[in-house]
């Protein structure tokens, strides 16, 4: 494509419109097919046995009983399963986590797969698994933050945050006229997407087709290929929809690989879907943290130091440390900044990325500590944050690519009515005598971008086709990416066919890090621009075109035609151009990535401010969040309806973090005792009231060509602290352990 | 799950004839099927009661009594206008339980027969005297912040999870059962059992006996003007009670002529507080009175683990329920969902 050919992106035709989710009807009517909905001929059902101990060995299993059960076809145990071609204990690529392909009899966490049963029916496989009745030699498990000695982290790699220091931390402490030194705890949390992990694997020679939920379709092909000992191109992943991912479907997990392995061994298609309780172990979670936050301020309540240390649980055999202390980087101006991490090994499944990994836990502690510091300094919590507003990125000194946080604070506070907040706690009650409290927190999330490719075609009939292997896990990729593509092609949305959700399409990168719209959208935009430019060249070079001889730069694409800008009498339709020039479709390609120099020049984050109102029963301490207002600045909003839904979802997750979510471990056995959706609480509809999202206008010329930042995770940050702070404001009781429970508030009041 | 036989009798007589050791009655299946999936319960035979006619009636009589068929769905009972008007706290309790979908499936008889939600009972790999007599109690010394504070024994510290059963206990309901020896009635106070040394026996039902209905005695509706069910929980729906209370007062002028009080989620059975009721009778409502009654209601309570907070919370919710009952049943009943946050919590 010649350098001179550039079409300005037109927004307002599709992008920027609150288009309703295009796959919504398919989903609510049950016609959208998720992985486990597939049932190829000759299918076998797989059920695996979960270890009932957290540490030790399996001493026996009744394989004969299982095999004798009608319908059971095969039972795989360490005694008879051939090894995976690729080493499951190695770390061959960035998102590799170690897992257990039944390599031996050891158990290193509860719910680890220890045997796999294949049967003609799900019921037979389930009963076969039960009949195995494993016996164990159990050792005392090491569970929780105090179950083992902490270890130092050599920082740097994925999941291994180290220590980051800016400025003289000791001098910052010494200079403080007032300070707080506080410790907060967050529990082990489990993603529990509505759709449990599942796979349908069908082999043909050394090729395999996988129906499997994946947040990174093309990248995962190479990863599966590694373990299965086949080239990446022999793996096809089909994943039109995910029933939620939240990070747990970004990496491969052991049970899924094991089922694919079994399909190859048995020579028939195999389906595995985890049971809900099996979600608590081999498929990642958010590790528990204990965080110490020390803040010092001078006489004007300006921070002399922000010093954040975190201890996080990881497994005994792999590393994923919740990077909680890094939440204190990039957010507030302080004389000195330190984020430090340590790990502690426990007999649990390896943690992994869970929506806002690090940021969620870290923000919960940081925003609580900010509130406590403001209280001690005697100033309003919002004023305290404004007084420590970072005009440039703390530490690096880099300018922000854009930062409308001040506007977020102002608009959120205005909508919430923050100015009427009394400074002291326990000042407000409602008509039923409930204690009312208001709290706030700052939201922050990095705006990354990954590499992606896309292909765009204009067909002879003038319609468009665009392709990229994106992942829609409910966030709306089917809709938002199609909107971007339609604009890039100068076509109305209903004239563009968008193909996605299959690994055979161009790589759209990972749907993670809140970067998918920017990344996949950027590639689609580039591909659309490419094909439109080619078509425009064809038109202007065509003597029969009304546009013949018009310079490309003065031509715009709109509604399937090219127009000479400012002259509505000269236009040419896409289909007409192709018809006069051989009648074949025309193709373009494009890619997206962020040049290194762009990241070096600017700090790139989405920002927000969350305000919470809670009501707390003064005697019984039942706590309900009655209002949440979040104002977010996240660059260009492609689809306001879906973006607000995403932000709401994040805020509800924050509510869940603050009041509900916690995997409860029996310390004697290392087992989660509330491993189902009746016991592992998340908010129900009736818990979510008065939820309001404001998207604050923000133009960002640096973050990427489309000016898009992400909205997928930022809603959690800020919200957890805002709710905890509101509870303190209502009750005068500060709870530094999440979730905040009735019994904690009762104890705190006595 | 384990293979099982299934039959669908057309009458109570056929159902009783179909029963043999190892059978289980199937009502709505909302609890039993879950337990079969985990393997906590493994019946050889399910006898599905859904096809039996005549067990789905709700009759409210002028004398303040009521008869409820065992197969009446929880939702249908709560939303029956005559029933909800006469026994508002029962409706309130039903609607405080489970979720809409579960209440639509669950039956009245099944609600009374639901098992404890103690995680160690549900999990076949844990020791549990209720599931496997003599195997021990993993809840003792385990995760037990929600376990019993009244009536527990060293062999079992589980609680009864039902909301519905709490106001039934307060109102002195009677359970009608039928077995091969004919019909009999079991007073509610005797229906659910404390664990003692035999926690595997939840109820007074003999093997093969079937609940055919429930009866609220004459005069039970006399509490309609002053009765409430309150439930404390960390989320607004689909959560079992941390503690709950059903309080009902029959007022004569400013005097409590008769009081009923039962606590939920504190014991293996709904905990009728007779001592507190006696203390309230003949008195005028006051905060001090209700505090004393609440203390009497929790008399003898002791923590069975990390749950001493439940004793104080049970006391407080009993006092609150009495206070709200004294203030009068809200005009719009059932007040949904039951909540300590007052009458407009469902707005």
């Amino acid at each position: 494509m010649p350098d001179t050919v550039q079409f300005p992106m037109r927004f307002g035709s599709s992008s920027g419109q609150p288009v309703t989710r295009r796959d919504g009807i398919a989903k609510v009517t049950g016609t959208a097919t998720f992985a486990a909905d597939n049932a190829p001929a000759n299918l076998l059902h797989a059920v695996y046995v979960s270890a009932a101990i957290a540490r030790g060995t399996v001493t026996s299993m009744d394989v004969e009983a299982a095999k004798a059960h009608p319908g059971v076809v095969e039972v795989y145990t360490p005694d008879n399963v051939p090894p995976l071609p690729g080493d499951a204990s190695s770390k061959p690529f960035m998102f590799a986590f170690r897992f257990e392909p039944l390599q031996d009899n050891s158990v290193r966490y509860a719910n680890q797969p220890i045997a796999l049963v294949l049967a003609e029916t799900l019921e037979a496989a389930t009963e076969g698994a039960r009949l195995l009745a494993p016996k164990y030699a159990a050792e005392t498990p090491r569970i929780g933050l105090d179950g083992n000695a902490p270890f130092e982290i050599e920082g740097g790699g994925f999941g291994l945050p180290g220590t980051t220091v800016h400025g003289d931390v000791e001098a910052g402490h010494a200079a403080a006229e007032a300070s707080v030194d506080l410790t907060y705890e967050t529990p082990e949390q489990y993603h529990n997407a509505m759709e449990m992990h599942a796979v349908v694997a069908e082999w043909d020679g050394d090729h395999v087709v996988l129906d499997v939920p994946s947040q990174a379709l093309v990248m995962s092909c190479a990863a599966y290929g590694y373990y299965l000992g086949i080239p990446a191109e022999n793996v096809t992943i089909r994943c039109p929809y995910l029933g939620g991912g939240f990070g747990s479907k970004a990496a491969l997990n052991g049970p899924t690989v094991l089922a694919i392995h079994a399909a190859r061994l048995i020579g028939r298609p195999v389906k595995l879907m985890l049971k809900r309780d099996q979600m608590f172990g081999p498929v990642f979670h958010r590790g528990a943290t204990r965080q110490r936050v020390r803040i010092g301020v001078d006489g004007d309540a300006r921070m002399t130091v922000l010093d954040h240390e975190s201890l996080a649980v990881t497994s005994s055999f792999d590393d994923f440390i919740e990077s909680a202390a890094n939440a204190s980087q990039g957010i507030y101006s302080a004389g000195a900044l330190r984020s430090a991490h340590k790990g502690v090994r426990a007999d649990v499944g390896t943690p992994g990325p869970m929506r806002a990994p690090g940021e969620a836990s870290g923000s919960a502690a940081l925003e609580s500590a900010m509130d406590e510091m403001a209280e001690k300094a005697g100033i309003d919590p919002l004023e305290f944050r404004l007084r420590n507003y970072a005009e440039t990125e703390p530490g690096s000194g880099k300018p922000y690519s854009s930062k409308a946080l001040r506007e977020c604070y102002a608009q959120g506070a205005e909508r919430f009515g923050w100015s009427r907040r009394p400074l002291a706690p326990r000042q407000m009650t409602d008509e039923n005598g409930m204690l009312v409290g208001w709290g706030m927190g700052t939201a922050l999330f990095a705006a990354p971008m990954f590499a992606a490719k896309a292909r765009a075609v204009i067909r002879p009939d003038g319609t468009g086709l665009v392709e990229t292997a994106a992942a829609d896990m409910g966030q709306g990729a089917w809709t938002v990416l199609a909107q971007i593509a339609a604009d890039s092609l100068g076509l109305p949305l209903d004239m563009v066919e968008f193909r996605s959700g299959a690994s055979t399409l161009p790589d759209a990168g990972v749907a993670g890090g809140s970067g998918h719209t920017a990344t996949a959208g950027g590639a689609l935009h580039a591909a659309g621009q490419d094909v439109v430019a080619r078509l425009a060249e064809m038109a202007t070079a065509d003597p029969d075109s009304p546009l013949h001889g018009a310079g490309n730069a003065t031509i715009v694409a709109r509604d399937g035609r090219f127009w000479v800008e400012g002259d509505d009498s000269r236009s040419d339709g896409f289909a007409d151009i192709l018809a006069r020039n051989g009648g074949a479709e025309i193709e373009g390609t494009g890619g997206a990535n962020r040049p290194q120099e762009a990241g070096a020049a600017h700090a790139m984050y989405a920002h927000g401010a969350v305000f919470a109102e809670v009501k707390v029963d003064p005697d019984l301490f039942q706590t309900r969040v009655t209002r949440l207002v979040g104002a977010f600045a996240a660059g260009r909003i492609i689809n306001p309806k879906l973006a607000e839904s995403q932000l709401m979802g994040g805020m509800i997750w924050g509510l869940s973090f603050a009041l509900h979510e916690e995997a409860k471990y029996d310390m004697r056995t290392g087992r989660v005792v509330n491993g189902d959706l009746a016991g592992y609480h998340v908010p129900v509809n009736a818990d979510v009231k008065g939820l309001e999202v404001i998207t604050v206008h923000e133009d960002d010329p640096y973050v990427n060509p489309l000016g898009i930042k992400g909205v997928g995770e930022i809603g959690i940050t800020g919200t957890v602290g805002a709710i905890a702070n509101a509870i303190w404001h209502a009750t005068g009781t500060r709870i530094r352990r999440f979730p905040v429970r009735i019994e904690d508030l009762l104890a705190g009041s006595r | 799950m384990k293979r099982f036989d299934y039959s669908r009798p057309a009458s109570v007589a056929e159902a009783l004839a179909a029963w043999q050791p190892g059978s289980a009655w199937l009502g709505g299946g909302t609890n039993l099927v879950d337990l079969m999936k985990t393997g906590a319960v493994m019946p050889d035979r399910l006898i599905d009661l859904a096809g039996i006619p005549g067990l789905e009636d709700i009759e409210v009589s002028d004398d303040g009594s009521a008869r409820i068929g065992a197969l009446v769905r929880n939702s249908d009972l709560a939303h029956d206008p005559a029933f909800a008007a006469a026994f508002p706290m029962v409706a309130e309790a039903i609607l405080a339980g489970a979720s809409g979908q579960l209440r639509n499936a669950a039956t009245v008889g099944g609600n009374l027969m639901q098992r404890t939600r103690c995680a160690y009972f549900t999990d076949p790999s844990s020791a549990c005297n209720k599931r496997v007599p003599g195997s021990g109690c993993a809840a003792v010394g385990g995760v037990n912040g929600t376990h019993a504070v009244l009536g527990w024994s060293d062999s079992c510290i589980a609680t009864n999870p039902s909301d519905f059963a709490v106001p039934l206990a307060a109102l002195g309901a009677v359970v009608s059962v039928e077995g091969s020896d004919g019909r009999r009635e079991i007073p509610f106070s005797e229906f659910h059992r404390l664990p003692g040394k035999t926690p595997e026996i939840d109820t007074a039902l003999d093997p093969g006996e079937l609940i055919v209905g429930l009866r609220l005695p004459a005069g039970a509706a006399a509490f309609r003007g002053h009765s409430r069910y309150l439930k404390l929980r960390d989320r607004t729906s689909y959560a079992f009670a941390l503690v709950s209370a059903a309080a009902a007062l029959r007022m004569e002028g400013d005097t409590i002529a008769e009081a009923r009080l039962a606590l939920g989620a504190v014991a293996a059975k709904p905990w009728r507080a007779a001592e507190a009721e006696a203390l309230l009778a003949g008195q005028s409502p006051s905060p001090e009175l209700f505090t004393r009654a609440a203390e009497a209601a929790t008399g003898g309570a002791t923590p069975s683990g990390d749950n001493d907070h439940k004793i104080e919370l049970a006391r407080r919710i009993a006092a609150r329920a009495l206070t709200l009952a004294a203030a009068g049943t809200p005009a719009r009943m059932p007040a949904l969902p039951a909540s300590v946050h007052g009458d407009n919590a469902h707005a």
Side-chain angles (χ1 to χ4, degrees):
Chain A
M1 182 167 100
D3 289 339
T4 53
V5 181
Q6 281 295 328
F7 290 90
M9 184 74 178
R10 290 179 60 257
F11 286 100
S13 45
S14 283
S15 296
Q17 300 301 313
V19 177
T20 296
R21 191 182 294 273
R22 300 177 92 203
D23 49 348
I25 289 174
K27 281 182 174 168
V28 298
T29 56
T31 55
T33 49
F34 294 83
D37 291 330
N38 292 284
N42 208 25
L43 180 70
L44 286 174
H45 295 264
V47 170
Y48 68 82
V49 182
S50 298
I53 63 167
R55 185 183 177 203
T57 53
V58 180
T59 53
S60 71
M61 283 189 273
D62 194 347
V63 174
E64 291 314 308
K67 278 192 165 173
H69 187 71
V72 170
V73 172
E74 183 57 282
V75 176
Y76 289 119
T77 72
D79 291 339
N80 69 340
V81 69
L84 266 182
D87 183 359
S89 64
S90 67
K91 303 275 281 181
F93 44 86
M94 182 175 164
F95 289 109
F97 288 89
R98 297 189 172 104
F99 62 93
E100 304 81 14
L102 308 182
Q103 77 286 0
D104 58 37
N105 289 326
S106 66
V107 174
R108 39 196 195 182
Y109 58 92
N111 280 349
Q112 175 189 315
I114 54 172
L116 185 83
V117 177
L118 298 178
E120 300 289 350
T121 65
L122 176 61
E123 291 77 8
T126 304
E127 180 63 2
R130 190 185 69 80
L131 290 167
L132 281 170
K135 294 192 170 20
Y136 306 95
E139 296 170 48
T140 304
R142 300 153 296 185
I143 298 296
L145 291 156
D146 300 309
N148 214 335
F151 66 91
E152 303 288 334
I153 294 167
E154 299 294 322
F158 174 67
L160 280 172
T163 297
T164 306
V165 177
H166 295 292
D168 187 336
V169 173
E170 291 317 312
H173 283 300
E177 292 189 25
S179 62
V180 292
D181 180 350
L182 303 158
T183 300
Y184 302 87
E185 288 191 8
T186 65
E188 311 270 349
Q189 300 174 342
Y190 284 78
H191 316 73
N192 274 307
M194 188 74 84
E195 177 201 32
M196 280 85 74
H197 291 266
V199 63
V200 176
E202 186 168 16
W203 285 86
D204 179 6
D206 61 353
H207 287 65
V208 68
V209 176
L210 304 176
D211 295 301
V212 64
S214 172
Q215 292 176 235
L217 281 73
V218 174
M219 187 176 79
S220 296
C221 289
Y224 284 118
Y226 166 77
Y227 293 115
L228 300 167
I230 56 177
E233 56 268 27
N234 288 15
V235 180
T236 300
I237 292 177
R238 300 187 297 204
C239 178
Y241 308 104
L242 296 88
F246 313 123
S248 76
K249 293 166 182 169
L252 273 57
N253 62 74
T256 297
V257 176
L258 184 59
I260 300 166
H261 186 44
R264 186 191 222 174
L265 297 174
I266 203 73
R268 290 173 63 178
V270 165
K271 180 192 293 192
L272 170 75
M273 183 169 221
L274 270 63
K275 295 191 293 174
R276 179 59 66 184
D277 63 349
Q278 293 178 325
M279 297 288 283
F280 292 78
V283 288
F284 316 119
H285 68 287
R286 194 194 303 280
T289 70
R290 179 180 294 142
Q291 301 174 52
R292 181 183 185 193
V293 184
R294 284 178 285 171
I295 302 174
V297 296
D298 66 15
D300 289 330
R302 289 179 212 284
M303 288 157 68
T304 58
V305 65
L306 172 54
D307 191 355
H308 194 157
E309 299 167 52
S310 178
L311 173 70
V313 170
T314 188
S315 70
S316 66
F317 56 91
D318 208 345
D319 299 319
F320 188 91
I321 301 295
E322 182 82 353
S323 52
N326 286 350
S328 288
Q329 298 286 328
I331 185 164
Y332 297 117
S333 174
L337 270 177
R338 189 173 78 106
S339 298
H341 296 88
K342 285 185 183 176
V344 57
R345 299 204 180 278
D347 296 309
V348 297
T350 305
M354 177 161 158
R355 201 174 184 183
E359 290 88 353
S361 311
S363 171
L366 170 64
E367 294 303 318
S368 296
M370 289 293 286
D371 205 63
E372 298 203 54
M373 188 69 248
E375 178 202 352
K376 190 156 188 181
I379 65 171
D380 175 84
L382 174 54
E383 169 58 24
F384 180 51
R385 287 165 174 85
L386 287 168
R387 220 171 273 187
N388 292 283
Y389 195 87
E391 302 291 351
T392 57
E393 187 184 39
S396 78
K398 282 194 275 188
Y400 290 101
S401 61
S402 61
K403 181 176 179 175
L405 176 58
R406 226 184 278 282
E407 293 77 4
C408 294
Y409 285 139
Q411 292 184 31
E414 170 69 22
R415 186 73 58 89
F416 187 84
W418 182 260
S419 64
R420 299 192 304 276
R421 177 184 181 273
L423 199 56
R426 284 189 85 96
Q427 300 299 303
M428 301 190 290
T429 54
D430 76 355
E431 66 280 9
N432 292 314
M434 298 297 128
L435 304 173
V436 179
W438 292 356
M440 60 86 57
T442 305
L444 181 86
F445 202 87
M449 206 173 155
F450 312 109
K453 292 176 185 156
R455 175 174 173 264
V457 170
I458 293 173
R459 292 158 160 160
D461 64 359
T463 62
L465 164 67
V466 292
E467 297 179 329
T468 194
D472 193 327
M473 44 189 169
Q475 86 278 37
W478 275 116
T479 308
V480 175
L481 296 180
Q483 286 177 266
I484 293 172
D487 280 349
S488 74
L489 291 171
L491 284 169
L493 189 55
D494 59 9
M495 285 180 68
V496 177
E497 181 186 349
F498 175 36
R499 291 183 186 160
S500 179
S503 65
T504 48
L505 302 173
D507 186 358
V510 60
S514 296
H516 202 39
T517 302
T519 301
L524 287 165
H525 171 62
Q529 280 204 319
D530 182 38
V531 70
V532 162
R534 289 171 196 271
L535 188 61
E537 275 188 66
M538 190 183 280
T540 54
D542 178 357
D544 293 332
S545 171
L547 305 178
H548 181 66
N552 279 345
T554 62
I555 290 176
V556 292
R558 185 174 75 233
D559 293 333
R561 301 183 73 80
F562 289 115
W563 307 76
V564 174
E565 194 161 26
D567 179 1
D568 280 355
S569 68
R570 290 178 73 188
S571 76
D572 199 356
F574 291 178
D576 299 330
I577 300 165
L578 290 173
R580 287 194 310 271
N581 289 275
E585 66 178 31
I586 184 167
E587 178 181 332
T589 56
N593 206 342
R594 178 179 292 155
Q596 257 187 345
E597 56 273 23
H602 289 95
M604 300 175 185
Y605 298 92
H607 295 88
V610 181
F611 298 83
E613 175 184 271
V614 302
K615 293 189 176 181
V616 182
D617 189 300
D619 304 314
L620 297 165
F621 300 103
Q622 185 164 283
T623 300
R624 297 291 182 260
V625 176
T626 47
R627 283 198 298 146
L628 272 180
V629 174
F632 299 95
R636 187 189 300 283
I637 300 300
I638 300 297
N639 183 323
K641 181 187 278 187
L642 293 179
E644 286 172 21
S645 290
Q646 277 248 77
L647 291 163
M648 283 186 184
M651 290 163 70
I652 294 166
W653 195 301
L655 193 171
S656 192
F657 193 125
L659 294 181
H660 299 297
E661 282 189 63
E662 176 179 18
K664 295 173 185 163
Y665 282 82
D666 187 317
M667 304 300 276
R668 304 165 303 179
T669 63
R671 305 184 62 198
V672 175
V673 300
N674 60 334
D676 59 45
L677 292 184
Y680 185 87
H681 283 187
V682 298
V684 297
N685 276 333
D687 290 312
V688 182
K689 297 178 175 181
L691 185 57
E692 213 174 331
V693 167
I694 300 165
T695 47
V696 173
H697 182 86
E698 192 175 66
D699 289 316
D700 192 322
Y702 306 109
V703 68
N704 50 55
L706 299 180
I708 297 170
K709 299 175 181 175
V711 293
E713 294 163 275
I714 187 173
I716 304 169
T717 70
T719 304
V720 186
I723 292 169
N725 298 339
I727 292 171
W728 168 79
H729 191 239
T731 62
T733 301
R734 179 69 67 172
I735 304 301
R736 300 191 184 93
R737 176 198 177 282
F738 292 98
V740 177
R741 303 174 303 180
I742 290 168
E743 53 264 45
D744 299 328
L745 289 167
L746 173 68
S749 74
R750 302 175 86 190
Chain B
M1 62 179 76
K2 195 183 99 169
R3 288 188 163 214
F4 56 89
D5 294 330
Y6 173 87
S7 66
R8 193 161 184 166
S11 67
V12 170
E14 274 187 40
L16 295 175
W19 194 89
Q20 51 191 278
S23 300
W25 308 119
L26 178 66
T30 57
N31 182 216
L32 176 62
V33 174
D34 280 354
L35 294 172
M36 290 170 68
K37 285 181 182 171
T38 68
V41 172
M42 291 189 288
D44 299 320
R45 163 181 290 224
L46 286 189
I47 303 172
D48 186 349
L49 307 172
I52 299 179
L55 299 181
E56 293 187 326
D57 295 330
I58 305 166
E59 295 169 36
V60 179
S61 302
D62 292 343
D63 66 354
S65 70
R67 288 182 178 278
I68 307 151
L71 294 182
V72 171
R73 304 285 156 174
N74 285 193
S75 298
D76 291 339
L77 184 61
H79 291 297
D80 183 274
F83 183 84
F87 310 102
M89 74 173 172
V90 181
E92 204 172 15
I94 292 170
L95 294 170
S99 66
Q101 293 93 330
L102 290 167
R103 294 192 296 267
N104 287 342
T107 63
V108 159
N111 191 310
L112 302 187
M113 294 302 294
Q114 65 178 303
R115 312 300 303 272
T116 182
R117 295 318 197 276
C118 173
Y120 301 99
F121 170 75
T122 312
D123 165 32
S125 64
S126 293
C128 174
N129 290 319
K130 187 182 279 298
R131 183 166 29 74
V132 181
S135 62
C137 174
V140 172
V143 179
N144 52 25
T146 62
H147 283 66
V149 292
L150 285 161
W152 53 272
S153 73
D154 289 341
S155 66
C156 182
I157 62 173
T159 60
N160 182 303
S162 174
D163 293 295
F164 177 50
V166 183
L168 293 180
L171 292 174
V174 175
V175 185
S176 305
V177 305
E178 201 166 323
S180 52
D181 294 338
R183 277 200 179 221
R184 66 175 179 132
E185 292 202 319
I186 305 174
F188 212 80
S189 58
E190 296 168 19
F191 184 78
H192 293 104
R193 293 181 68 264
L194 292 177
K197 291 187 182 340
T198 54
E200 68 276 17
I201 305 170
D202 278 1
T203 70
L205 278 184
D206 287 334
E209 271 189 321
L210 174 66
I211 299 175
V212 293
L214 261 182
R215 189 165 65 74
L216 288 164
F223 296 95
R224 75 177 78 182
H226 294 274
S227 61
R228 291 305 298 269
Y229 178 73
L230 292 189
K231 177 175 181 177
L232 182 61
R233 47 181 162 172
D234 74 3
R235 67 178 174 187
T236 306
S237 180
Y238 194 45
F240 294 98
L242 186 55
V243 292
S244 71
L249 305 173
R250 185 165 60 77
M251 301 297 296
E252 286 177 1
D254 289 337
T255 302
I256 300 168
E258 190 180 1
R260 300 293 178 86
L261 180 64
L263 298 174
V266 294
K269 61 189 290 183
W271 195 261
R272 176 95 178 256
E275 202 180 315
E277 293 175 1
L279 190 149
L280 291 160
Q283 306 293 312
S284 294
S286 72
E288 298 71 28
L289 176 69
F290 292 153
T291 301
R292 276 200 292 131
E295 277 168 13
T298 52
T302 49
S304 58
D306 299 326
N307 60 353
D308 41 345
H309 55 274
K310 285 189 70 167
I311 300 170
E312 180 61 22
L313 290 169
R315 217 172 265 151
R316 292 181 180 206
I317 202 166
R320 178 72 63 80
L322 287 165
T323 304
L324 290 177
T329 306
R332 192 153 74 88
M333 281 302 286
L336 309 179
S339 167
V340 294
H341 275 193
D343 302 334
N344 62 351
H346 57 289

